Amino acid sequence: MSALSRFVAAVALLAFAGPILGADPLHARIDKQIAAGFGANAKHIAPRAGDDEFLRRVYLDLVGTTPTVAELNEFLADSAKDKRAKLIDKLLASPGHARRMAWHLDVMLMERGADSKVPRAAWEAYLVAAFAENKPYDALVRELLSADGSDPKTRPAAKFFLDRNLEPHAVTKDIGRIFLGRNMQCAQCHDHPTVDDYKQADYYGIQAFLNRSFLFPNANVPTAVIAEKAEGDVSFMSVFDKNKKLNSTAPRMPGGKPIEEPKAEKGKEYKVAPAANVKPVPTYSRREQLAGAVTSAENKAFARNAANRVWAMMMGRGIVHPVDVDHGNNRPSHPELLNELAAEFVAHKYDMKWLVREIALSDVYQRSSETPAGLDDPPADRYLVAIMKPLTPEQFAYAAMQATGHTDAERAALGAKWTEAQLDARLAPRLGPFRAMLGRGGDATADTFSSTLDQTLFLKYGSAVRGLLTPRAGNLTDRLNKITNPDAVADELFAAVFSRRPTADERKDVADALKNTTDRGKTINEMVWALVASAEFRFNH
Amino acid sequence: MDIPPPRPVLDPTTARVEREFKHVRPLIGCRFDPSGRFLFATAEDDSVQRFDLLTGTRTAFVGHTSWARGMAFVAPNPTAAPMDASAWQKAQAAAQSLVGFGVAALPAPKAAPFTLVTADYHGKLIWWQGDSDAPKPLKTVAAHDGYARAVAVSPDGATVASCGNDQKVKLWKAADGTAIRTLEGHESHVYNLAFHPNGTRLVSCDLKGVVKDWNLKTGKSERDLDAKILTKYDPGFMADIGGARGMAFKADGSAFAVCGITNVSNAFAGVGNPLAVTFDWDSGKAKQLKPKDAFQGTMWGVAFHPGGAVLGAGGGGQGRVWFWKGDDPASAHVLTVPANARDLALSSDGARFAIAGSNGTAYVYNFSGTGPVPQMPKKK
Amino acid sequence: MLPCNYACNTADHATTRRAFLGSAVGATAALGMAGFANPAHAAELKKAQKRVLVIFLEGGVSQLETWDPKPNTDTGGPFKAIQTSVAGTSICELLPLSAKQMHRIALVRSLNSQTDDHGVGHNVMLTGRKMEPGIVYPHLGAVSARLLGSNANALPGHIRILPKGGSGFNGADATFLGPKFASVGLGDGKPPADLFRPGNLTATEDDERDAFRKRLDQRFAKSRKSAATDAYTESFTQAERVVKQAAVFDVDKEPAKIADKYGRHDFGRHMLLARRLLEAGVTYVKVSHSNYDTHHENFDFHIEQLGEFDRPFAALLDDLADRGMLDSTLVVVMSEMGRTPRINDRYGRDHWGRAWSVALAGAGIKGGAVVGKTNANGTAIADREVWSGHLFHTYLQAVGLDSTKNFYPNERPVPIADPKAAAITEVLA
């Protein structure tokens, strides 16, 4: 396809998929589509979440931590009708949102693998900067898939490839999973036996973009960069094929047309010819075609998967679920909604912040997670009740620091001129143990969550949590120690940790505990721990 | 063969290979018999090989069913005079020039009778007629539970001492192998032992570098001397390495030496430095004798030359013989030998030394200063 | 292949969320659907809870100084072969006590593990697979914990006792089976730090705060409850049970008489701890004994190391038998490779995977069996060559598992053991 025809096609697609003039905003259409799927359960849907429930949820989802007591009080006291929308906009505009999205994208892209060639700090800084400027998602992915690591300025973007050592099967599989929502691992050896959509030729079509690329000088060098040869094709043979026929394919996206490749003129295959200790540069680069092919509007799987992933981040499960198993035998729970989200995401130029905002504004997002009476074991894919999402290790760490007042104490220590960046620089170093312990094997979703013995013991006896409980000026235990009225203790405790008011029963529990204690400080410490270790805190409910 | 008399002062630079005895299997230990005519070497095929320096003939002593290293001799008292190799050789040469080559050679002179005692990995000691033409085990004693690492014979020839992995030192009647006494006190494998020339004391050294000075009258250890520099527990491999691989007394009894490996950084690759430690007999004061070259390996044998020098031999990647003279703790001379030296033998007159090569060859050196100059170690 | 529906919402599925470390039920939906989770099979396993003990002689033990001596040959070294309790079977003299246990032990003397590399050998021996790109196979410990473990037990199902170093959870050895089957490592037999209540938290305080947490969780569960929240709150109950059982990790609780039998040294203590853990219901324990990488002075070092190994090993077999556990506990003595028949110039033996031996005993093993042989001086396999894949099938079948079934990580069937190999039936009872 020529550049001109590509441009025409893109314009045509854009026109086709453009925002529907005069239509309801997306969040309203989301609610229509979801409501259409209620069926017989329509009368059992959970009510709108209370302000406190909404506040905690939206803080965790948008900025990755819980609100301060002051923020809670302010929000609860606010009588404005549009206070939720205002809060959403405030959070989306805050530095915390870029940090939260960077955490999310880091795990999505790197899946908590070991950092090898691109250091964590540079990578996180790159992602934070991208979200701070709300870089369109397609542009971000183009950077990830085109950087070769040779320019120090763009080297962090090459982490996706470099830290996978550009291992052909790893990168092929992960491009399929992470950007197209298709886990085609089986197709490495044969067409998927039960999934008609996953073809071996599709798998190798992706691999063909990269089969000429390699790490220079070699994968063992931490500063290695991506280099490419001018020749070489993928070949594959089904393990089921008795005739052992060897196949090949030009680079192409699954279901798409092969890239038309220029015929290399003899002797002019290279800009820089291969030689010992020389990084070759081919005249025509297959790898350079990859970023465009993946993010092309023709490659519908890209926007569809991206929209589905943002949905899953906010809602606790994908419309296609799991998010990397998009195929005919695993239907979306709401196919039209997914199409609409994808089309709107493209129409809004892959604006992640916009998509997050629309979802956050929807009724379905703002539904309570309390199971209404008469609804037993609601089917998760109907969204009758908000799904409780386990906090990610980063959310847990930041929420625990906020809940225990560690964040407050650090902020106070910075003085009146504190900045978010300064505060974050003090908090981020404490992430390590939480990531290492709670983040094993990627991030758990609501239906893959478990807490292993070591994780629970880490919360129970480990120093990372207990270290936050020691009284210091301005932290929660310090504040509670200074409050004499038991009800006021309960109010501050529940506001700080659970972002809500205590119930009468809870106030009584606190009062009883304080009445019977011989060591008030210790009892306060125990209560803070109990709240932090509770299910209510562990989940974004 | 024309050998000059031993020099009063040893000149190590005159060391030359006089003879090579090739055996089919790697050698383990070597000793000259008291007369200096025979070199005995033990090998990985469980045999003891006797090399006749006079005639070049080789005789296998077969009887061990395991590897042996320890060897000691019970010789008529006083010790037989040093071999006079030149007389027979001169006669032989004269006969050949008279009658022409190809005629039957003169029969070699008979050696004076002596007894050889050898010790093996199965804890056995075997008594042999050392000069026999058809040697057979005369007596086999199950001496130790596990490896009997060394034997020694008292200066009066009456007592054989042995030591082994059962942590024991045992004394036997040299005449018939009956047990005399067991000396207990070591707390690890006993690697080596030697009689004081005055015959009243016996020293033994174990894996952990503990040297015991046994009073042979009482059977009690009079003192412990510290050779722990020759031992290490390698925490990486969780195993001990060390012990006295070689041990020798100075003829006048004023000192003895032990040798082995020190500074071990990797026991299982044998990364460490060879070291000899001499002890002043009266004061018990230790002195380290180190190779001048930065060599990695083990010192497997040590000997006091009658001319006053100390010799050590050993190997790691290559074989070495080191010479120390006077008070210099660094070796005065280093000789590269063709194989890992797994043992060092010095003839009683100091005229020859030999090494037991890991390549199966015993190399006999003299101090003739003639013949090819031995290869010097490469500078690093 | 069994298709797997990720989105299934069956009760089975929900219970998998509640499964805990060491449970037989999978951590993920894909595993929950694997053939092994069906109740009939689970009941069968419960009847005779099987366990696995691997004694791993790190560095590569010499087969010539252990199970396949070649005395008085050019490769044999100085040691003799001794008669064992099985007529016609001799082993090296360095294992006199093990020799008396030979009627309980089966030997495979014809193992070609096809690698002379420590890391590769370790992996190959514990996974029964050659290393391949694109997939990392779980270790025997994770497979055992996954397939043999019981929900009834709160203790971890996969424990490694290491000669030294720190203790911690989550060895990188469960791969797609999930972290709950990853090993808990006990450096020098010491339990992981967070297993014990910190010194500045009294038992009363701990109980109080946990009671407070429980009350909060109970209230929360009245209106908000999911498999995930249940799994979380349940994990504290389970953790508490493990903490209460922390004494299981304390080998000093064993009678002195028993400890004497195992030998009063680190490895003896580690072996005794292994038995203690197995007895308490831990599915798989691996005890490592270090070190056998004897490029230098192979013979002296084998005297020392095997001297340390022999007594606890024999004591353990007796102890398991005395407690009626031997029939249900598979014991394997392995290494990452053997050592060269050739003796080098430093009395060492080097790396060698081509022809060496593994010993098995206990559950499902035909004591006294000797399978395969090497030639006269041990330089080649003369009969019944097997590799690690055969052994992996053998281990699983010995504990009553069908090693020809699959796991289903990410919907993809992954055979539990290498389909190109099969069990060595001659050693199976």
Side-chain angles (χ1 to χ4, degrees):
Chain A
M1 197 189 289
S2 72
L4 180 64
S5 62
R6 249 202 307 266
F7 174 75
V8 171
V11 168
L13 268 163
L14 201 64
F16 175 75
I20 304 160
L21 287 175
D24 292 335
L26 180 62
H27 62 85
R29 282 178 279 148
I30 288 171
D31 288 324
K32 266 190 203 159
Q33 296 277 6
I34 292 294
F38 288 154
N41 282 317
K43 55 182 182 294
H44 292 306
I45 60 167
R48 182 174 152 95
D51 276 349
D52 49 3
E53 187 181 358
F54 167 77
L55 181 76
R56 183 176 191 267
R57 184 186 303 166
V58 79
Y59 260 81
L60 283 165
D61 283 334
L62 300 193
V63 295
T65 184
T66 50
T68 64
V69 173
E71 285 163 337
L72 171 73
N73 291 337
E74 188 190 345
F75 188 71
L76 295 184
D78 189 349
S79 57
K81 277 231 164 87
D82 61 348
K83 68 175 181 178
R84 291 195 182 187
K86 276 195 199 144
L87 176 68
I88 290 167
D89 287 335
K90 185 184 106 179
L91 295 179
L92 288 174
S94 75
H97 180 62
R99 181 187 61 211
R100 151 68 169 154
M101 292 307 290
W103 288 342
H104 183 72
L105 264 283
D106 167 42
V107 177
M108 173 184 135
L109 294 167
M110 303 312 299
E111 305 190 313
R112 301 198 187 276
D115 301 302
S116 58
K117 300 198 167 52
V118 174
R120 175 133 295 273
W123 168 239
E124 289 186 349
Y126 165 75
L127 289 176
V128 167
F131 283 97
E133 62 167 281
N134 196 25
K135 186 174 280 174
Y137 180 66
D138 61 334
L140 175 67
V141 172
R142 275 195 295 274
E143 289 178 7
L144 299 174
L145 298 182
S146 59
D148 67 3
S150 60
D151 179 352
K153 276 190 232 128
T154 58
R155 184 171 171 86
K159 187 177 179 79
F160 181 82
F161 285 140
L162 291 177
D163 280 16
R164 282 174 173 82
N165 277 339
L166 202 62
E167 200 280 308
H169 290 299
V171 294
T172 305
K173 184 183 78 167
D174 286 348
I175 287 170
R177 288 177 50 244
I178 292 167
F179 300 116
L180 310 177
R182 295 167 150 237
N183 186 344
M184 299 189 288
Q185 190 170 3
C186 293
Q188 181 182 335
C189 309
H190 48 71
D191 289 350
H192 198 291
T194 58
V195 180
D196 296 339
D197 315 8
Y198 291 0
K199 301 291 187 209
Q200 197 179 9
D202 291 341
Y203 180 90
Y204 284 95
I206 296 174
Q207 195 167 92
F209 284 99
L210 295 163
N211 73 307
R212 295 174 178 174
S213 296
F214 60 96
L215 288 190
F216 176 88
N218 62 64
N220 296 326
V221 177
T223 54
V225 299
I226 302 171
E228 193 171 7
K229 294 175 293 182
E231 63 288 310
D233 285 304
V234 292
S235 60
F236 56 95
M237 180 172 71
S238 172
V239 294
F240 299 151
D241 183 3
K242 291 197 182 77
N243 301 322
K244 311 273 179 214
K245 185 172 168 262
L246 210 56
N247 305 290
S248 187
T249 177
R252 69 172 180 83
M253 283 292 110
K257 289 206 188 81
I259 299 272
E260 285 173 36
E261 302 198 280
K263 284 238 161 60
E265 214 179 306
K266 269 263 181 257
K268 291 191 176 169
E269 295 92 343
Y270 284 99
K271 287 181 202 161
V272 179
N277 302 320
V278 171
K279 179 191 159 193
V281 180
T283 311
Y284 165 76
S285 163
R286 275 192 169 185
R287 196 174 50 80
E288 282 175 11
Q289 316 305 312
L290 176 66
V294 167
T295 60
S296 145
E298 293 161 55
N299 182 32
K300 297 242 163 122
F302 175 67
R304 176 182 165 93
N305 180 248
N308 189 46
R309 283 179 180 274
V310 174
W311 177 268
M313 176 188 86
M314 295 293 286
M315 302 303 300
R317 63 175 287 123
I319 297 172
V320 169
H321 187 75
V323 293
D324 61 354
V325 189
D326 189 2
H327 59 66
N329 295 358
N330 183 37
R331 296 259 168 225
S333 59
H334 298 77
E336 288 173 44
L337 173 59
L338 182 56
N339 290 342
E340 201 156 342
L341 293 175
E344 289 285 352
F345 187 46
V346 175
H348 282 83
K349 299 193 170 61
Y350 300 89
D351 182 341
M352 286 266 245
K353 197 178 270 193
W354 172 82
L355 186 56
V356 167
R357 180 177 185 275
E358 287 298 321
I359 295 170
L361 286 170
S362 70
D363 292 346
V364 64
Y365 176 79
Q366 297 190 18
R367 194 155 288 148
S368 173
S369 59
E370 277 194 292
T371 311
L375 194 61
D376 192 29
D377 203 10
D381 68 351
R382 294 298 100 193
Y383 301 100
L384 305 169
V385 180
I387 294 168
M388 289 184 282
K389 298 167 286 198
L391 303 191
T392 65
E394 291 83 4
Q395 285 173 326
F396 190 92
Y398 267 58
M401 288 191 270
Q402 179 57 60
T404 57
H406 177 77
T407 308
D408 302 327
E410 290 290 1
R411 195 187 294 111
L414 284 169
K417 289 185 182 167
W418 71 277
T419 65
E420 283 283 350
Q422 284 172 332
L423 180 59
D424 200 52
R426 289 184 165 217
L427 301 182
R430 285 187 183 249
L431 270 177
F434 289 91
R435 275 180 162 156
M437 185 56 75
L438 303 179
R440 252 183 289 107
D443 266 13
T445 62
D447 63 351
T448 59
F449 176 83
S450 68
S451 187
T452 53
L453 177 58
D454 52 335
Q455 292 173 335
T456 303
L457 287 171
F458 169 80
L459 301 177
K460 193 174 164 71
Y461 292 149
S463 58
V465 172
R466 284 171 43 77
L468 298 172
L469 305 180
T470 313
R472 59 178 283 210
N475 80 353
L476 181 60
T477 46
D478 174 61
R479 297 194 315 253
L480 296 176
N481 284 337
K482 289 174 180 156
I483 302 174
T484 48
N485 181 326
D487 283 352
V489 170
D491 288 354
E492 178 73 10
L493 173 65
F494 278 70
V497 185
F498 284 166
S499 309
R500 66 173 172 86
R501 306 275 180 247
T503 64
D505 286 346
E506 287 163 344
R507 277 185 164 183
K508 185 171 181 302
D509 282 349
V510 171
D512 288 349
L514 292 175
K515 191 165 65 191
N516 299 329
T517 185
T518 52
D519 186 336
R520 194 171 187 274
K522 278 199 164 166
T523 299
I524 283 171
N525 185 306
E526 286 165 25
M527 288 192 297
V528 175
W529 176 84
L531 265 70
V532 169
S534 72
E536 183 170 351
F537 188 78
R538 184 69 185 82
F539 290 85
N540 186 3
H541 49 82
Chain B
M1 195 153 114
D2 195 10
I3 298 164
R7 290 151 204 266
V9 178
L10 176 74
D11 177 3
T13 63
T14 62
R16 297 291 184 277
V17 175
E18 177 187 358
R19 200 135 205 178
E20 295 179 16
F21 290 102
K22 285 194 169 63
H23 183 55
V24 290
R25 298 292 311 287
L27 301 181
I28 299 171
C30 59
R31 285 290 177 275
F32 285 105
D33 83 301
S35 75
R37 170 169 167 180
F38 301 110
L39 178 71
F40 287 85
T42 58
E44 286 187 14
D45 58 4
D46 306 345
S47 72
V48 181
Q49 299 289 325
R50 185 183 67 197
F51 303 120
D52 188 337
L53 271 64
L54 189 59
T55 65
T57 54
R58 304 193 303 169
T59 307
F61 286 49
V62 177
H64 284 291
T65 54
S66 179
W67 298 359
R69 183 163 191 261
M71 286 182 278
F73 302 92
V74 187
N77 204 7
T79 306
M83 168 188 75
D84 181 6
S86 57
W88 175 74
Q89 281 171 333
K90 275 179 191 151
Q92 174 89 328
Q96 282 173 346
S97 67
L98 201 67
V99 188
F101 286 99
V103 302
L106 290 176
K110 272 277 192 205
F114 64 95
T115 302
L116 165 69
V117 184
T118 50
D120 75 16
Y121 257 82
H122 290 175
K124 288 200 175 75
L125 303 183
I126 297 184
W127 269 252
W128 316 81
Q129 182 64 40
D131 56 306
S132 169
D133 291 335
K136 286 200 174 53
L138 300 175
K139 179 160 190 68
T140 301
V141 172
H144 293 272
D145 184 5
Y147 187 7
R149 289 182 175 266
V151 284
V153 173
S154 62
D156 64 1
T159 309
V160 170
S162 65
C163 61
N165 280 6
D166 57 3
Q167 310 184 0
K168 288 170 182 159
V169 174
K170 292 188 174 182
L171 304 178
W172 317 88
K173 277 190 185 156
D176 59 8
T178 52
I180 301 171
R181 180 175 242 165
T182 298
L183 308 177
E184 296 193 65
H186 280 291
E187 289 172 2
S188 66
H189 301 167
V190 189
Y191 269 54
N192 232 314
L193 78 182
F195 279 96
H196 191 281
N198 70 15
T200 63
R201 298 288 187 86
L202 174 75
V203 291
S204 57
C205 177
D206 64 25
L207 169 61
K208 301 287 175 72
V210 175
V211 179
K212 292 202 172 283
D213 170 13
W214 304 97
N215 181 327
L216 292 171
K217 270 193 198 127
T218 63
K220 296 264 166 15
S221 171
E222 295 281 338
R223 55 180 171 168
D224 279 2
L225 296 164
D226 184 352
K228 293 193 180 71
I229 191 149
L230 293 176
T231 189
K232 172 165 176 179
Y233 176 74
D234 183 329
F237 293 104
M238 311 186 85
D240 293 287
I241 181 168
R245 308 310 170 97
M247 197 165 190
F249 252 104
K250 201 168 179 179
D252 63 7
S254 65
F256 70 96
V258 291
C259 69
I261 186 167
T262 192
N263 295 332
V264 174
S265 59
N266 180 332
F268 283 18
V271 180
N273 304 119
L275 182 72
V277 181
T278 60
F279 289 90
D280 179 78
W281 179 250
D282 291 335
S283 68
K285 216 177 142 204
K287 192 172 100 181
Q288 294 180 29
L289 300 179
K290 297 175 185 175
K292 190 167 61 179
D293 52 340
F295 186 78
Q296 286 186 339
T298 304
M299 195 180 299
W300 278 100
V302 64
F304 288 92
H305 192 271
V310 179
L311 278 70
Q318 300 173 302
R320 290 282 190 279
V321 174
W322 301 275
F323 298 83
W324 291 270
K325 293 170 83 174
D327 286 331
D328 186 358
S331 58
H333 187 66
V334 184
L335 184 66
T336 296
V337 294
N340 260 358
R342 289 171 160 189
D343 203 1
L344 170 71
L346 180 66
S347 65
S348 57
D349 60 1
R352 295 186 176 79
F353 67 93
I355 58 151
S358 60
N359 60 355
T361 300
Y363 297 88
V364 179
Y365 287 78
N366 61 21
F367 296 99
S368 64
T370 58
V373 176
Q375 183 203 338
M376 296 304 288
K378 282 181 200 127
K379 287 226 168 92
K380 290 221 166 172
Chain C
M1 140 172 200
L2 295 172
C4 168
N5 178 3
Y6 260 95
C8 53
N9 256 313
T10 61
D12 258 14
H13 188 151
T15 55
T16 65
R17 308 296 170 232
R18 292 168 208 181
F20 200 56
L21 216 153
S23 107
V25 196
T28 70
L31 290 171
M33 292 297 103
F36 282 83
N38 73 67
H41 200 99
E44 234 176 77
L45 288 176
K46 203 170 180 180
K47 261 187 256 166
Q49 187 61 55
K50 298 281 173 54
R51 308 163 206 87
V52 180
L53 170 66
V54 167
I55 302 159
F56 200 93
L57 306 182
E58 282 184 4
V61 72
S62 168
Q63 68 282 6
L64 297 139
E65 273 68 61
T66 50
W67 312 115
D68 195 12
K70 302 289 179 184
N72 308 115
T73 68
D74 61 335
T75 58
F79 303 120
K80 59 187 163 192
I82 52 170
Q83 261 309 316
T84 67
S85 61
V86 175
T89 302
S90 300
I91 61 172
C92 180
E93 64 168 316
L94 298 183
L95 300 174
L97 301 173
S98 304
K100 292 181 182 147
Q101 299 284 341
M102 197 48 66
H103 56 288
R104 290 175 168 147
I105 299 171
L107 296 179
V108 176
R109 281 176 167 166
S110 50
L111 172 60
N112 178 358
S113 54
Q114 304 175 10
T115 173
D116 296 342
D117 178 274
H118 288 294
V120 177
H122 186 261
N123 195 279
V124 161
M125 288 302 292
L126 287 169
T127 62
R129 305 282 187 141
K130 287 167 204 168
M131 291 169 90
E132 324 171 2
I135 184 161
V136 186
Y137 290 100
H139 285 198
L140 179 61
V143 172
S144 302
R146 165 75 176 76
L147 299 179
L148 296 172
S150 152
N151 260 337
N153 202 317
L155 290 170
H158 180 186
I159 291 183
R160 291 181 301 141
I161 300 173
L162 306 162
K164 55 189 170 179
S167 300
F169 291 90
N170 190 36
D173 40 25
T175 71
F176 59 73
L177 294 180
K180 90 166 55 169
F181 303 110
S183 63
V184 175
L186 309 178
D188 191 25
K190 291 196 249 332
D194 287 348
L195 187 58
F196 295 108
R197 188 163 37 77
N200 57 359
L201 178 72
T202 68
T204 314
E205 287 160 14
D206 193 18
D207 289 348
E208 276 173 8
R209 61 177 207 162
D210 210 50
F212 205 89
R213 179 196 58 77
K214 270 186 208 145
R215 257 199 316 282
L216 292 166
D217 282 344
Q218 281 159 6
R219 287 217 185 89
F220 186 69
K222 277 184 192 153
S223 60
R224 292 185 179 90
K225 192 173 162 68
S226 71
T229 60
D230 275 1
Y232 182 63
T233 53
E234 177 63 13
S235 78
F236 280 89
T237 311
Q238 306 249 20
E240 199 184 330
R241 285 171 59 198
V242 176
V243 169
K244 293 246 154 76
Q245 290 186 72
V248 165
F249 295 89
D250 185 358
V251 79
D252 291 343
K253 299 269 194 293
E254 287 286 326
K257 203 172 65 186
I258 300 281
D260 287 343
K261 280 187 185 161
Y262 278 78
R264 296 286 190 164
H265 48 67
D266 290 349
F267 184 64
R269 180 165 52 83
H270 298 166
M271 288 284 273
L272 180 53
L273 175 61
R275 195 232 66 221
R276 207 173 149 78
L277 293 168
L278 291 165
E279 193 175 34
V282 173
T283 307
Y284 174 98
V285 179
K286 176 189 172 208
V287 187
S288 294
H289 187 222
S290 184
N291 189 287
Y292 292 85
D293 192 17
T294 52
H295 295 282
H296 177 238
E297 311 221 344
N298 172 75
F299 307 102
D300 282 346
F301 288 129
H302 272 77
I303 290 172
E304 179 165 347
Q305 307 301 57
L306 290 172
E308 209 170 85
F309 164 83
D310 188 44
R311 175 176 298 279
F313 175 60
L316 178 115
L317 292 181
D318 278 338
D319 199 9
L320 288 177
D322 290 350
R323 286 162 201 264
M325 289 167 64
L326 189 58
D327 291 343
S328 54
T329 309
L330 171 69
V331 181
V332 184
V333 183
M334 64 161 87
S335 195
E336 64 261 47
M337 62 196 141
R339 303 210 76 81
T340 47
R342 180 184 167 276
I343 299 159
N344 70 26
D345 63 357
R346 289 162 296 152
Y347 298 113
R349 295 191 193 268
D350 301 308
H351 295 178
W352 173 260
R354 249 179 285 167
W356 60 289
S357 308
V358 157
L360 305 102
I365 295 299
K366 191 194 286 175
V370 176
V371 177
K373 61 180 181 193
T374 49
N375 65 5
N377 62 358
T379 55
I381 290 170
D383 182 37
R384 185 63 168 110
E385 175 169 332
V386 298
W387 71 283
S388 325
H390 295 89
L391 287 168
F392 205 81
H393 278 279
T394 310
Y395 306 148
L396 297 182
Q397 298 211 2
V399 290
L401 296 167
D402 182 349
S403 59
T404 63
K405 295 214 167 168
N406 293 320
F407 289 122
Y408 289 91
N410 302 317
E411 288 191 290
R412 182 186 160 194
V414 175
I416 291 171
D418 193 320
K420 293 190 285 295
I424 306 163
T425 51
E426 304 97 298
V427 301
L428 294 174

